[in-house]
Amino acid sequence: MAWPEELERVLLTQEQLAAKVAELAQRVSDDYAELSPVLIGILTGSFVFMSDLIRLLDFHLMVDFIAVSSYEEATVSSGKVRLLKDCSRDIAGRHVLLVEDIIDTGLTLAHIAKILRDRNPASLRICCLLDKAARREADIAPDYVGFEIPDEFVVGYGLDFAEKYRNLPYVGVLKEDAYRTWSSSMAEV
Ligand code: IMP
């Protein structure tokens, strides 16, 4: 794909992403190889990371997905989420690994983790590729983190900006004015 006008720079290359996913897969294998875990991806952003990750896991596992949306169509997470798609299996007594693309305030993930914990899994841990730790509001700490990144809006490798750029093979930083223009147009709706 030609270089998108709205992007400022590449933050993580395809090679850096592949190396990090392999590293995470090794850690997950060390911890879960004997546990037949259920990996639950949070749609939509996690699907690229999830598909690369599971193909490096050489043990029995199940894959499921959960989809949520913010109640408010806000540019900043409210943490109030509506379940759009629940996972399809009963997780009681199972070892669950939640797979997320990016944690920002952590409010969305905290809400999902609570919904799933109430179903009594044997364990529940979080694996996220990107972490904007400086912006954390919720009391939630991922167990496996790929990269801690600065407070900038990033796209690619599953992550979108107004549904664009999920198919970029790298993670790029959006130009601030593109994000600002979009934020103010959303605020007017
Ligand atoms: P949180 O509830 O603030 O942690 O928001 C997490 C969700 O916001 C992620 O699952 C993404 O969908 C979205 N998000 C947060 N930061 C970014 C970003 O830089 N690029 C794309 N999506 C983001």
Side-chain angles (χ1 to χ4, degrees):
M1 194 194 282
W3 180 255
E5 262 286 291
E6 290 176 313
L7 286 205
E8 187 182 289
R9 67 181 196 282
V10 172
L11 182 67
L12 301 164
T13 64
Q14 210 169 339
E15 292 72 26
Q16 286 174 305
L17 289 164
K20 187 60 78 175
V21 175
E23 202 183 299
L24 289 171
Q26 185 58 57
R27 291 181 54 205
V28 169
S29 297
D30 291 346
D31 295 346
Y32 284 92
E34 309 300 322
L35 301 179
S36 300
V38 185
L39 271 65
I40 302 181
I42 303 175
L43 292 172
T44 304
S46 71
F47 79 103
V48 176
F49 173 40
M50 177 85 146
S51 64
D52 281 348
L53 181 71
I54 60 163
R55 282 177 292 168
L56 297 174
L57 301 179
D58 188 17
F59 54 85
H60 179 65
L61 58 84
M62 288 191 200
V63 169
D64 211 331
F65 288 97
I66 194 167
V68 296
S69 83
S70 294
Y71 274 117
E72 288 99 325
E73 290 297 319
T75 52
V76 182
S77 175
S78 66
K80 290 183 195 149
V81 301
R82 185 160 52 98
L83 212 48
L84 294 180
K85 184 219 164 292
D86 203 344
C87 44
S88 345
R89 65 196 76 251
D90 184 8
I91 58 164
R94 301 294 307 260
H95 293 278
V96 172
L97 184 62
L98 262 178
V99 179
E100 175 63 309
D101 50 0
I102 186 165
I103 309 186
D104 188 10
T105 63
L107 292 168
T108 309
L109 197 56
H111 196 89
I112 293 171
K114 182 181 177 339
I115 292 173
L116 297 180
R117 278 209 181 89
D118 285 348
R119 298 177 185 174
N120 300 314
S123 68
L124 187 140
R125 285 188 183 169
I126 295 162
C127 175
C128 81
L129 181 66
L130 309 175
D131 186 7
K132 290 186 191 172
R135 286 184 39 89
R136 191 76 80 256
E137 290 177 29
D139 182 19
I140 193 152
D143 302 277
Y144 308 88
V145 178
F147 301 92
E148 208 172 285
I149 62 166
D151 179 15
E152 292 177 298
F153 200 88
V154 291
V155 294
Y157 201 67
L159 288 151
D160 77 308
F161 168 59
E163 292 304 327
K164 290 181 291 184
Y165 308 128
R166 291 195 198 277
N167 52 329
L168 295 177
Y170 51 85
V171 171
V173 176
L174 200 72
K175 283 181 183 162
E176 234 184 283
D177 58 342
Y179 182 70
R180 221 179 301 115
T181 309
W182 177 74
S183 304
S184 51
S185 71
M186 291 294 285
E188 283 163 17
V189 177

